[in-house]
Amino acid sequence: EFGFDADFNGTSVKSPAGETATMTFDAAGNMLTAVAPASLGSATKRPSGMNPAVWLTGHLLLERKAAGNEVGLGEEITDRDRLFAPGTKPENLPKGLDGAAIAREFHALHKRFVAHLKRIDAAALAEPIERQYPAVPRTRLGALQFLLQHETYHVGQVGALRVMLGKGSWLGN
């Protein structure tokens, strides 16, 4: 089973299942597609001091590359990707970033990532990794666990931002 405790301490991970991890990340990527179409990706407005859509989209791309690299996908993290690293400030982004292109890159990566994840078995997910993510085991599955929580947090921000920008709910209301 693959699961999260309410306090996200990782203790409910019993026998990692690649199928469940794949379905979970696929759902997160599909939520981003629904919430943030490419047209929202270039938005630079910051209602209530929130990160703008262009920064959130770039950050989600960077974090999905990190997740892919933890499970052996081998994605290149570019200088442009590093503009969206934790601790960076949206106001320091260069003018003219093509947020729609960044969103399209995320969606293309999402397809490769899910296809790659489907080929990973439980033993591979249990392998130790170099980086320690907060509150999860130092394994490939632990990395996926943390990065999925992180990704869905930001997808929720994009959804709230969408409403604040007058784009309505992703559900159509």
Side-chain angles (χ1 to χ4, degrees):
E1 285 182 40
F2 176 87
F4 302 106
D5 280 3
D7 64 352
F8 198 68
N9 66 18
T11 58
S12 66
V13 176
K14 297 174 182 79
S15 171
E19 182 178 337
T20 304
T22 301
M23 291 179 348
T24 307
F25 267 96
D26 196 26
N30 290 335
M31 282 191 306
L32 181 62
T33 301
V35 171
S39 62
L40 187 65
S42 293
T44 57
K45 292 183 183 173
R46 298 184 72 184
S48 300
M50 288 182 68
N51 288 320
V54 67
W55 188 90
L56 288 166
T57 304
H59 185 66
L60 287 165
L61 173 63
L62 172 65
E63 294 300 312
R64 182 60 72 94
K65 284 183 175 184
N69 290 341
E70 291 294 7
V71 294
L73 187 57
E75 290 293 322
E76 178 188 2
I77 295 178
T78 65
D79 287 340
R80 193 230 34 225
D81 296 331
R82 288 183 186 89
L83 295 172
F84 307 102
T88 60
K89 298 191 181 309
E91 55 271 15
N92 294 334
L93 291 175
K95 299 287 183 214
L97 274 176
D98 186 350
I102 295 169
R104 287 190 299 273
E105 186 179 342
F106 175 88
H107 299 308
L109 170 61
H110 172 69
K111 290 177 185 174
R112 291 191 309 276
F113 178 80
V114 169
H116 180 77
L117 208 53
K118 286 179 181 178
R119 296 187 296 269
I120 296 176
D121 62 17
L125 287 174
E127 290 177 11
I129 60 171
E130 191 174 309
R131 182 173 176 190
Q132 176 65 60
Y133 291 89
V136 295
R138 188 179 249 167
T139 63
R140 285 178 160 181
L141 181 61
L144 291 177
Q145 211 178 354
F146 174 79
L147 291 167
L148 176 64
Q149 183 275 336
H150 183 84
E151 187 173 298
T152 54
Y153 171 80
H154 287 305
V155 169
Q157 286 182 319
V158 173
L161 188 59
R162 177 187 171 101
V163 172
M164 290 177 176
L165 292 173
K167 303 286 186 184
S169 164
W170 67 280
L171 296 172
N173 14 9

